[in-house]
Amino acid sequence: MAERLTVAQFDLVILGGGSGGYACALRAAQLGKNVALIESGKLGGTCLHRGCIPTKALLHSGEIADSAREASTFGVNAQFLSMDMVAVNAYKDGVISKLHKGLQGLVKSRNITFVEGHGRLVSKDTVEVNGERYTGTNVVLATGSYAKSLPGLEIDGIRVMTSDHATNLTYVPKSVIVLGGGVIGCEFASVWKSFGAEVTIIEGLSHLVALEDESSSKQLERAYRKRGINFELGVRFKSHTVTADGVTVELEDGKTFSADVLLVAVGRGPVSANLGYEEQGITMDRGYVIVDDKCRTNVPGIWAVGDLIPTLQLAHVGFGEGILVAEEICGLSPRPINYDGVPRVTYSEPEVASVGLTTAQAKERGHDVVELNYDLAGNGKAQILRTAGSIKLVSQKNGPVLGIHMVGARVGELLAEAQLIFNWEATADDVAPLIHAHPTLSEAMGEAHMALAGKPLHAHG
Ligand SMILES: Cc1cc2nc3c(=O)[nH]c(=O)nc-3n(C[C@H](O)[C@H](O)[C@H](O)COP(=O)(O)OP(=O)(O)OC[C@H]3O[C@@H](n4cnc5c(N)ncnc54)[C@H](O)[C@@H]3O)c2cc1C
């Protein structure tokens, strides 16, 4: 005789407690809905435990190591001796743990039913976990993504690893090969170089961070060359051999590279296999759940958010989509997300940050494009920080700013203003009169718009 299953009824049953899932849960609960949030790992998901937060903590340790190396430039007697990875990991894990506890408290305080366990969609409105059934008027799929590898490239977590392993390394390798020059690859390359490793990036496309405006990629490449980070562009991985003391990689052009470890950072794929999605008739494409502009799947009452759907794989996109779904379910009719207006940052040294369209995209979409490059050399704070880089504006001729692309230390912080400019469709004339505090990096944003408006201050033109 089949075992009787308990059934609990909710307004929303959310499968996956990462950025997308928990944001949806928090907003829906705030709007008075009865919510179950199901998570097989840790609340907070990839971003908190294996992604954004640990990598940014490692990058910050790296920044301090670099500051120690460069201390004499600023008249400070200090010396870089070595990395203490036990202490680095304790610092990083402390940050994660504090945020994790805070999030657990938040979920509890909103009376969300948090269910620990592996869930599976067993009907159009029900998820089964640990032999119990959770039925929702709405089901939100938020199972996220995993680090992909290439055929034949087996991840052993020791010599050949993904970011999951790299965020918890207990030593600094002498040398590293980073396969993939996208955001994650470039961030780890930056971390390891700062920690003292010899780093080589292998990228099949013709640029690092190839989704960025080409000018940003070129500036990052220049900066990496200066830092002594090696890279091979436009050439693909062929094979690898793991030996007792390292790993050797052969490329399709015949070149070989050897290092202590190989980080595979070739992208992330959706977590959707064997979860019952296809069986319930949900439209999928290469494992991604397909949704409309309100994150609705083709099955009424089933929604999907975050890395599971083919939108930008960013934590704040997951937050936005989770909130969108909660508000749509609650009848608030939120506006669909304009994905062009999502801010993007590669938190390497230097940082690469952007919002809106690249020059190539703006032209493809038929805009009459004008460009303005403001070199950070003219910015007082950039000189104080000793950082190089620029702010590039892509604008419609006599129209709104279509894209803002930045390279330099701390430019990620400038996105707050950049995204307002883009999303409020401001023109250079709107921004030019706004007074920016001196001396800040944000002044460069003001100066760039002044120059585009035809009245440059600290720039030739
Ligand atoms: C190294 C790295 C660095 C990153 N840095 C940044 C950054 O700086 N900024 C940024 O915006 N983004 C960054 N990201 C991306 C960001 O982490 C993701 O976009 C974000 O976590 C996606 O959220 P999600 O909710 O869709 O998925 P996830 O965070 O992956 O959450 C999905 C959750 O679902 C759970 N789950 C899966 N299947 C089941 C099941 N069957 N039952 C129960 N639970 C299940 C998983 O355990 C997981 O916790 C980074 C990613 C990585 C890997």
Side-chain angles (χ1 to χ4, degrees):
M1 204 174 83
E3 214 178 305
R4 278 271 300 277
L5 298 169
T6 329
V7 180
Q9 177 69 41
F10 294 87
D11 296 323
L12 278 85
V13 170
I14 302 173
L15 185 56
S19 312
Y22 83 69
C24 185
L26 290 173
R27 183 69 180 126
Q30 194 172 53
L31 291 167
K33 295 291 180 193
N34 185 15
V35 180
L37 180 61
I38 301 162
E39 170 57 53
S40 58
K42 288 184 180 166
L43 177 64
T46 304
C47 169
L48 179 52
H49 302 283
R50 298 178 297 281
C52 327
I53 299 298
T55 50
K56 268 77 260 181
L58 294 175
L59 280 156
H60 188 59
S61 291
E63 187 182 335
I64 291 173
D66 287 335
S67 297
R69 284 187 188 94
E70 294 155 10
S72 64
T73 310
F74 304 95
V76 178
N77 294 324
Q79 213 183 338
F80 174 78
L81 298 175
S82 64
M83 297 305 298
D84 175 349
M85 287 309 292
V86 172
V88 167
N89 285 320
Y91 148 67
K92 176 201 72 190
D93 294 340
V95 175
I96 294 170
S97 161
K98 200 167 173 198
L99 292 169
H100 187 210
K101 283 200 185 91
L103 188 57
Q104 285 170 314
L106 203 55
V107 164
K108 207 170 166 197
S109 74
R110 301 247 173 113
N111 292 321
I112 292 164
T113 302
F114 184 67
V115 182
E116 285 183 276
H118 183 268
R120 193 168 190 283
L121 193 64
V122 291
S123 74
K124 289 186 172 42
D125 62 359
T126 304
V127 175
E128 189 176 315
V129 192
N130 306 328
E132 305 215 343
R133 292 195 164 192
Y134 297 83
T135 294
T137 313
N138 295 277
V139 172
V140 183
L141 308 176
T143 43
S145 64
Y146 68 96
K148 288 198 291 195
S149 186
L150 297 177
L153 190 47
E154 201 181 307
I155 307 294
D156 62 16
I158 299 165
R159 293 290 179 199
V160 183
M161 58 182 71
T162 69
S163 59
D164 291 347
H165 311 99
T167 43
N168 286 310
L169 223 55
T170 52
Y171 67 100
V172 179
K174 281 204 178 62
S175 52
V176 187
I177 298 167
V178 177
L179 188 57
V183 176
I184 293 176
C186 284
E187 289 187 356
F188 274 104
S190 188
V191 166
W192 274 321
K193 184 67 192 178
S194 299
F195 284 7
E198 188 63 31
V199 181
T200 304
I201 306 172
I202 313 286
E203 170 55 57
L205 298 174
S206 52
H207 283 297
L208 297 178
V209 290
L211 296 181
E212 292 291 343
D213 193 276
E214 197 178 14
S215 65
S216 294
S217 295
K218 285 183 175 166
Q219 286 179 77
L220 181 69
E221 287 158 16
R222 203 175 308 136
Y224 269 21
R225 225 172 272 127
K226 222 169 148 194
R227 288 186 65 192
I229 297 175
N230 310 307
F231 47 87
E232 296 285 319
L233 301 175
V235 59
R236 283 153 56 127
F237 165 89
K238 186 175 172 201
S239 65
H240 81 298
T241 319
V242 176
T243 61
D245 53 358
V247 53
T248 299
V249 166
E250 190 189 349
L251 306 185
E252 281 184 349
D253 64 3
K255 280 190 194 163
T256 59
F257 295 88
S258 294
D260 287 357
V261 297
L262 169 64
L263 172 71
V264 180
V266 294
R268 295 182 64 82
V271 173
S272 60
N274 307 318
L275 295 179
Y277 298 174
E278 286 100 339
E279 288 91 321
Q280 300 310 323
I282 296 171
T283 303
M284 320 264 297
D285 181 20
R286 291 163 298 129
Y288 287 101
V289 171
I290 302 305
V291 295
D292 67 6
D293 63 359
K294 292 284 181 82
C295 294
R296 276 183 287 241
T297 71
N298 61 311
V299 178
I302 303 186
W303 313 70
V305 298
D307 285 8
L308 179 62
I309 64 174
T311 51
L312 287 168
Q313 292 180 323
L314 292 169
H316 44 286
V317 169
F319 296 149
E321 290 168 345
I323 292 167
L324 178 92
V325 166
E327 294 189 348
E328 183 67 23
I329 287 171
C330 295
L332 299 184
S333 300
R335 257 192 290 176
I337 293 167
N338 172 9
Y339 289 96
D340 291 338
V342 171
R344 309 164 293 250
V345 190
T346 304
Y347 297 86
S348 44
E349 167 45 42
E351 289 185 348
V352 178
S354 64
V355 64
L357 308 182
T358 63
T359 298
Q361 287 168 335
K363 285 183 179 166
E364 263 166 38
R365 294 195 198 175
H367 292 290
D368 189 0
V369 172
V370 286
E371 292 179 347
L372 186 285
N373 275 296
Y374 183 81
D375 195 321
L376 288 185
N379 175 265
K381 184 64 186 245
Q383 289 311 305
I384 290 165
L385 294 173
R386 290 275 171 113
T387 190
S390 69
I391 296 183
K392 173 180 169 179
L393 305 180
V394 178
S395 178
Q396 191 174 302
K397 198 172 178 189
N398 302 317
V401 173
L402 301 169
I404 301 181
H405 305 275
M406 303 178 280
V407 179
R410 303 183 193 179
V411 293
E413 302 297 336
L414 304 186
L415 270 177
E417 181 175 14
Q419 75 182 77
L420 292 182
I421 293 170
F422 174 81
N423 285 302
W424 278 345
E425 299 175 12
T427 64
D429 288 326
D430 292 327
V431 183
L434 302 176
I435 294 175
H436 289 75
H438 176 76
T440 59
L441 282 179
S442 72
E443 252 185 316
M445 187 69 73
E447 295 263 359
H449 287 84
M450 287 163 91
L452 186 60
K455 39 185 174 180
L457 183 61
H458 297 96
H460 301 280

